[in-house]
Amino acid sequence: MLDARSWIADVLLADGGVVRLRPAQIADRDSLQAMYRRLSSHTIEMRFFGPATHLLEVDIERVVTSDGHTRVALLATLGKSVVAVAYYQRSSKDPSTAEIAFIVEDAQQHRGIASIILEHLASIARDQGIEHLIAEIRPDNKAMISVFRQIGFAVSTRLDDSEIHAAVDLADTERSLEVARAREHAAEARSVARLLTPRSIAVIGASRQSDSIGNELFRHLLASSFEGPTYPVNPAARHIAGVHAYPSVVDVPGIIDVAFVALPAERVFEIIPDCASKGIHCLVLFSSFSETAGGRERQERAVELARAYGMRIVGPECMGIINTDPAVSLNGTLVDTFPMRGRVGFFAQSGALSADILSRAMHRGIGVSTLVSAGARADVSVNDLLQYWLDDDATDCVLLYLETIGNPKKFARLARSVSRRKPLILVQAVSPQDRSRSLAMFRQAGVLRVDSLSESLDVAALISAGRLPRGNRVAIIDNTTSIGAIAAAACEVHGLAVMGLQHLGAAAPIDEFRSALAEVLANPEVDSVVTTFLTPVGDRGEAGRVIEEFSALTEKPVLVITAGELLSGVPAYSSPEDAVRALGHVAAYVEWLSLPTGGVPSLDRIDRSKASAALSTAEQSGESELSEHALVSVLDAYGLGAHPDPVEPEIRVVARVADDDLFGRVLSFGLDGVYSQLFGDVAWRALPMTDEDAARMIDDIASAPLLFGYNDGPVVDRDALEEFLIRMSRVGFDHPRLASLEVVAGCSEYGVHTVRAEGRIADPQHLDDAPRRML
């Protein structure tokens, strides 16, 4: 029997709420009886095909006596209550099939519990060698029929007189993964939407003490004119800032959506059950656990407790959240000034840094849609926000400051999705030895990675203006010769082509400036314009109006270098280097958007189960290094076996699958020997890779010409080499337990064959597969 502890999972539902899934136990009998007593007669009839209340005790007995193999039962719980149960019973005649049954109490129906619990049961069943789940459904049970239709697995049905027989094929398919991902996206986006668009809020720990977090936070909420009621909670105060205060959250009248908690960490545990009883679905924790003994463990217990009660946590040690939508108008932070409405979504870990970002953004005229300062990120993470911003019509650009990435495998997938729809700017410190690897994978995902906050806002200012360049061709108009020359030199550094450089001179009349600007903007060979605004061009104010006028009439971005003046709708910069660097980032992003995405090709000679069996056997042996026998089995299962009769001359390449702290599972590639080991000539890609990724990966290494006849050398079979990389990608993506796999292969015009290999197994660092769970 498998370790049932791995079956425990906190999961997000379709409405953004949380429930816990766990195996049933004997001790759950009373809780199950209580749930069954809450069932309506209609629900009982749908489950038991009639008013068969005498079968309830029989069903409870089956659930609590599950052995984890012949019968497996999962419960969905909220707090101390069981709200749903599902189990399967393996067939004695055909152990590869099992009959499934489940029931959700009335108050929790239509939240997606049936779908998620079925997804988890299917995963357990598949791991135990079950290939099909069978269900009997009443023809009028529309809810259950809908669950099976939308599960994503192949489902066959047969209608008899009184029931529908449904058979679910548990084989993984692209469709089943797509369905799971779509549900995950909807649930996580909805969870964040509930956080950022509350109808009512409470501040637990609101205070009359002027220098306290509770006082500052409450004042900012009032000052931002939040559209719903804001309730201060403090047992020692009758009024705070003129608003009636309540001794505890349970005393607040009506429903509360989000609670801001400004209490010492040790008091957080006592208020969580009370918050749950009020229907609160998210806690924004300003409390600091790091300052208490065993802070990390206490923080994890707080998250576990909140999730058990169906709630999420922002923080702890966060700076709060902001939503500038006039329909919400929420400043739930410790920042005094409410930012201007805009189209940029911000996420940061550091509270102090969040305040700095907002201050700089306001100085640059950059508006904000929403902001989350997540602090310790114990629960709500950047991946949750990416799911939300992916479809958020109020956000055109996303700016992230990250110190670490909690689930890099998932981040890599989501970053690619977001970048296809809107620019994603990332500020993250990267060590020199990791820089080339990181940049390669950020380029693969379309992420605009920058080195500093100033650089991130330079890029955001350009994107916020609402015009992206169509290409990398730039015209420069200056009224200070040195500035134009510096801008032109910077263009060469940042991959931009200068299509014209006009030196007007400081005394040029305004009409000459107007004509020059009109001419370059009308030129189809120019994609963007960089101009100076440092010294008077005729009348300084009139020059600014000319720039604003032409910028409003063109789809091409116009960047102005100025001494500090802000122009409406025009991105402004204090130096030519800053302007050109930002333009280079955005032009590279536009080029990435134009590249074909390719697809993950379907490959023959793939036997995933054979490789899984070999890895399981190796794992049971207790050795982390894979034996030659295990390696041969894994490689053969993916068409990567050694060629029996290699043909010379050949070139040897090396490919390696491993885990990366930034992007999860990655594949590296280079020529074996001094090129990769001494000179570091290696290309990287995050998994899974497409055929286009494989092709570009080969061309990314500087030594690529050696593969294709350089200096009358051998020419390798490029198609075979690309297929080799895709197969390596597939084996690495399919098997998270495979901690690393390195293969040296010989390449010639006749194909690619494995020369030697080594691999290692370990517990997976990063999971991003079905069944869905909160990590």
Side-chain angles (χ1 to χ4, degrees), residues 78-80 204 249-250 255-257 259 269-283 305-311:
L78 265 176
K80 297 178 181 179
I204 304 175
V249 72
V250 295
I255 295 172
I256 305 170
D257 288 334
F269 296 93
E270 67 187 57
I271 60 103
I272 286 177
D274 288 346
C275 289
S277 71
K278 290 297 294 181
I280 292 170
H281 49 72
C282 190
L283 306 178
L305 182 61
R307 287 180 174 178
Y309 277 101
M311 294 182 291

Side-chain angles (χ1 to χ4, degrees), residues 10 34 65 100 106 220-221 245 279 349-350 373 403 449 471 544 591 617 644 652 751:
D10 294 323
T65 59
I100 188 171
D106 296 70
H220 293 167
L221 285 164
Q349 292 175 238
S350 165
S373 171
E403 297 165 14
R449 190 207 156 272
E591 181 185 14
T617 301
R652 291 193 173 183

Side-chain angles (χ1 to χ4, degrees), residues 738-757:
L738 192 58
S740 66
L741 175 66
E742 182 174 287
V743 174
V744 175
C747 308
S748 71
E749 62 180 303
Y750 302 103
V752 178
H753 66 93
T754 295
V755 175
R756 66 176 184 273

